[in-house]
Amino acid sequence: MKVYLNGKLVPQSKACVSVFDHGLLYGDGVFEGIRTYNRRVFMLDEHVARLYRSARAIALDIPISQAAMSAAVVMTCNANRTWDGYVRVVVTRGVGTLGLNPYVCKKPQIIIIAGRIQLYPHELYEKGMSIITAGTVRNHPEAVNPCIKSLNYLNNILAKIEAINAGVMEAIMLNHNGHVAEATGDNVFAIQGDRLMTPPPSAGLLEGITRDVVITLAGQRGMTVMERDMTRYDLYTADEVFLTGTAAEIVPVVRIDRRVIGTGKPGRKTLELSTAFKEFARQQGTPLRGCT
Ligand code: PMP
């Protein structure tokens, strides 16, 4: 594998960062996870724009333009023949001292890894997933705003630990008001009748790019889409619940806190949206080498 590191493609074994990088020492940096489908990079501009927003929010100046970043993603995918894969873009604060001060870090490190990802086993998409609601509260937006896709995922990891310890793979996190925010690495949706509900950004969540695509696709299919504050009641009483994310795509949820959701099987509307999403993803995106 060839990894992009600060403008160059280097062999995986040479792709190293310093132990003094504040990305490592403090989780000081930002990242994106991007998919390629069918020789195209899916929603590349949107991911790059969110990366730069995250960076701006932590006062990190990425030393190349958004256009150059997009070109670097395409180059790295082509070099690794990542036609149906997963790309991780990471920008760290760079090398500094053992103190917190980010301003002593003069050179942010830009890393692009083009590989593969399979978050969940295939059968989970057919049978649906059991999840819990976590006790760990999602970060308060005035502390570390969940809109920032930062290298510090401990808030989410603590909830993930709760999930795994409870024998499931995902957890829904509530915000400081007790409202549903999101899952540890995915957004959450509920369907009641013809209405599709998802928490608003003000609930404190990462505004998922998959979430946006699903909202658009649902609207095109005549569903009423509502961004509104949700509680566990809305999840427990929903006909269908599903999670969305770049790596996970659309995952049906059939149990929450051991309660059966809807029929206990992946719902019809969830599966319809999932099919529509797959179709859309195969057709859209920035072309890679050999894309027809
Ligand atoms: N929430 C969190 C906390 C995430 O890390 C992610 C990305 N894995 C998402 C939601 C989904 O965002 P996207 O659809 O842009 O991948």
Side-chain angles (χ1 to χ4, degrees):
M1 178 190 282
K2 289 212 165 58
V3 175
Y4 175 99
L5 186 62
N6 303 318
K8 292 199 190 89
L9 286 169
V10 298
Q12 187 173 331
S13 58
K14 297 260 162 60
C16 301
V17 290
S18 165
V19 294
F20 292 98
D21 193 305
H22 279 204
L24 173 69
L25 290 175
Y26 298 117
D28 187 351
V30 293
F31 77 103
E32 278 296 318
I34 310 174
R35 277 278 189 152
T36 61
Y37 294 106
N38 194 28
R39 291 184 187 252
R40 293 171 189 274
V41 188
F42 188 53
M43 308 298 278
L44 178 58
D45 291 348
E46 288 77 1
H47 281 286
V48 169
R50 187 172 68 184
L51 180 74
Y52 280 70
R53 280 201 304 278
S54 294
R56 178 60 73 92
I58 66 163
L60 171 60
D61 275 332
I62 301 180
I64 62 175
S65 69
Q66 295 197 30
M69 182 66 81
S70 295
V73 169
V74 167
M75 175 174 84
T76 311
C77 289
N78 282 335
N80 291 284
R81 306 169 68 82
T82 309
W83 311 141
D84 279 282
Y86 178 83
V87 186
R88 178 61 57 91
V89 183
V90 180
V91 185
T92 74
R93 186 73 71 175
V95 171
T97 62
L98 291 178
L100 285 178
N101 187 354
Y103 294 112
V104 302
C105 308
K106 297 297 179 206
K107 190 172 176 254
Q109 299 289 295
I110 304 177
I111 303 159
I112 305 174
I113 307 166
R116 309 205 146 268
I117 197 163
Q118 197 198 352
L119 275 195
Y120 306 122
H122 195 67
E123 62 165 36
L124 244 166
Y125 291 83
E126 277 151 22
K127 293 196 178 140
M129 193 187 227
S130 297
I131 63 174
I132 59 164
T133 50
T136 305
V137 172
R138 188 75 176 106
N139 278 339
H140 192 292
E142 290 299 333
V144 180
N145 196 318
C147 284
I148 304 169
K149 199 163 167 59
S150 88
L151 291 181
N152 194 320
Y153 254 53
L154 268 179
N155 180 224
N156 316 53
I157 289 166
L158 292 178
K160 187 83 170 181
I161 288 170
E162 289 186 55
I164 292 164
N165 289 352
V168 297
M169 294 177 88
E170 250 303 352
I172 285 178
M173 304 181 75
L174 308 178
N175 67 16
H176 53 284
N177 293 319
H179 292 145
V180 174
E182 58 182 337
T184 68
D186 299 311
N187 293 113
V188 57
F189 285 83
I191 298 176
Q192 286 219 341
D194 229 16
R195 288 185 316 171
L196 180 66
M197 278 179 282
T198 194
S202 58
L205 49 88
L206 184 75
E207 285 183 60
I209 287 161
T210 321
R211 174 184 180 276
D212 280 349
V213 172
V214 165
I215 287 174
T216 305
L217 291 174
Q220 287 169 356
R221 266 153 195 77
M223 296 178 83
T224 307
V225 185
M226 299 168 66
E227 286 182 80
R228 71 160 177 81
D229 280 328
M230 292 167 61
T231 63
R232 278 181 292 182
Y233 169 89
D234 297 302
L235 298 177
Y236 294 155
T237 60
D239 300 331
E240 303 180 27
V241 171
F242 62 86
L243 308 180
T244 64
T246 293
E249 300 174 321
I250 296 178
V251 193
V253 171
V254 293
R255 264 188 199 78
I256 304 178
D257 299 332
R258 298 195 169 195
R259 292 162 178 254
V260 174
I261 305 302
T263 62
K265 297 211 171 85
R268 186 174 54 81
K269 295 203 167 83
T270 302
L271 295 177
E272 265 172 36
L273 282 171
S274 186
T275 306
F277 177 80
K278 286 199 182 104
E279 221 165 85
F280 181 75
R282 280 186 64 76
Q283 291 160 7
Q284 299 289 318
T286 308
L288 294 170
R289 193 179 346 113
C291 175
T292 48

